[in-house]
Each structure stands twice: as C-alpha cells, then as structure tokens.
Amino acid sequence: MVQCEMCGAETSSPKTIKVEGAKLDVCSNCTDFGTEVKQPSSSSTSTKYSTGSSSSGGSSSSSSSSSASASSSTSSSSGGSPRSDMFDDMDQLVADYDDSVRNAREGKGLSQSDLANELNEKASLIRKIERGDTLPSDRVQSKLERFLEIDLSAEGGSGEDSEWSGGSSSGSYTLGDVVKRKD
C-alpha cells in the first residue's frame, strides 16, 4: 500500500496527476485536484528514437547527449567574457542640455516655433526639451546639434564614472573603494 501524496490516505493503485507543474501520486479521491498524467508504455519509449538496431540507437543517444553537454559547456564558457549592453553604445546627453538648447536658440534670435519650423519638428517638442521634460531622440538631437552648432553629447559621463571600469573578479575593487560616506 502506498500513501496518497495529497491527503495521506492509503491506496493500492495510486494515479499520477500534475498539480501546478508538480507530479504527484494520489488516491482516486484526490485526482480532481489536478490533471491526470498518462504514463507511456515502456515499449513505445524504447523504440521512439531507435534506428533499427539497439546498439546504434544506444550510440546515437550517447552521442547526442555528449554533443548537448559540449554545447552547454561552450555556452557557459562564453559567460566569462564581458557582456555588451545596449546602453554601452548610446551617447549620453550633457546634464544641462535644456539650457544649452535654449541659450543657443536665443543666441540665434529664434523663437521656439521658428526653431521647430527650421528642424521640421513640433514647437511643443522644442518647449518640452527646453523645459527638460523630455529627452530629444537621437534624430532630433543631431538636428539640434547641426542647426544650433552645439554639442549635446557628454564625453564619457562624469569623472567618477570614467574612473570605474567595472572592477574584476580578481578583487581589485571592493564596495568600500566605491562608496562615499556622508559623515
């Protein structure tokens, strides 16, 4: 007699059900709590991947498992290299991009709507950029830089960020090297 894995009752013929991804052997009363898993017959399992002779079937299964382990080892070894991030390739804006755009526009004697017409953009976008409410897209940023003859790209971020290279697994940096105390 086997115990039901749901209620603990003794049962002579447990049924296998699946409950939220877990397979349980349960009594007939508890089968309604999950979906019944049909057990494949052992003869169909052994001939499923067979190519005709049992020795070649065994060798093909062992070669496929060895190639699978080889591919998993190559993927894990590539994890040691530094990952590239989509943000690494993006240019960063200077912190006061809104003031730079406003000052350059006023220096040319243009209104926000005049600048918008020159760039073929909406005046509301120029207003939002000058207020700092929105960041210009790459396309709009390049238009602004070209027309107003300014540079909105930050050169590698702040000095603190340019010193930090991400550390290494050798332990050359610790948290104490990076954190600044407020006392």
Side-chain angles (χ1 to χ4, degrees), residues 121-132:
E121 297 293 335
K122 293 183 178 180
S124 61
L125 177 64
I126 302 300
R127 274 194 297 277
K128 289 178 182 179
I129 290 172
E130 288 187 1
R131 279 194 315 248

Side-chain angles (χ1 to χ4, degrees), residues 2-9 11 13-39:
V2 178
Q3 276 191 334
C4 172
E5 293 178 346
M6 281 286 258
C7 67
T11 181
S13 59
K15 294 188 168 124
T16 304
I17 64 167
K18 196 170 200 176
V19 179
E20 294 186 12
K23 291 183 181 177
L24 303 173
D25 290 329
V26 298
C27 64
S28 59
N29 293 336
C30 295
T31 56
D32 295 338
F33 293 115
T35 56
E36 190 168 348
V37 176
K38 302 291 183 196
Q39 298 294 334

Side-chain angles (χ1 to χ4, degrees), residues 42-107:
S42 61
S43 63
S44 66
T45 312
S46 63
T47 60
K48 186 173 183 181
Y49 296 108
S50 167
T51 58
S53 69
S54 62
S55 64
S56 66
S59 65
S60 66
S61 65
S62 65
S63 67
S64 65
S65 65
S66 65
S67 65
S69 64
S71 66
S72 67
S73 65
T74 56
S75 64
S76 65
S77 66
S78 65
S81 64
R83 290 179 35 182
S84 72
D85 194 320
M86 66 178 260
F87 297 108
D88 292 340
D89 300 331
M90 293 176 59
D91 291 333
Q92 295 197 2
L93 287 175
V94 292
D96 59 343
Y97 71 93
D98 48 350
D99 293 330
S100 301
V101 171
R102 184 182 310 109
N103 294 336
R105 175 185 58 81
E106 290 172 350

Side-chain angles (χ1 to χ4, degrees), residues 148-170:
L148 297 175
E149 298 168 356
I150 57 175
D151 187 23
L152 297 176
S153 298
E155 300 296 326
S158 65
E160 296 172 15
D161 289 344
S162 62
E163 291 176 16
W164 177 252
S165 64
S168 67
S169 61
S170 66

Side-chain angles (χ1 to χ4, degrees), residues 110-124:
L110 296 171
S111 68
Q112 290 177 340
S113 58
D114 292 339
L115 178 61
N117 288 335
E118 290 291 333
L119 300 178
N120 199 21
E121 297 293 335
K122 293 183 178 180
S124 61

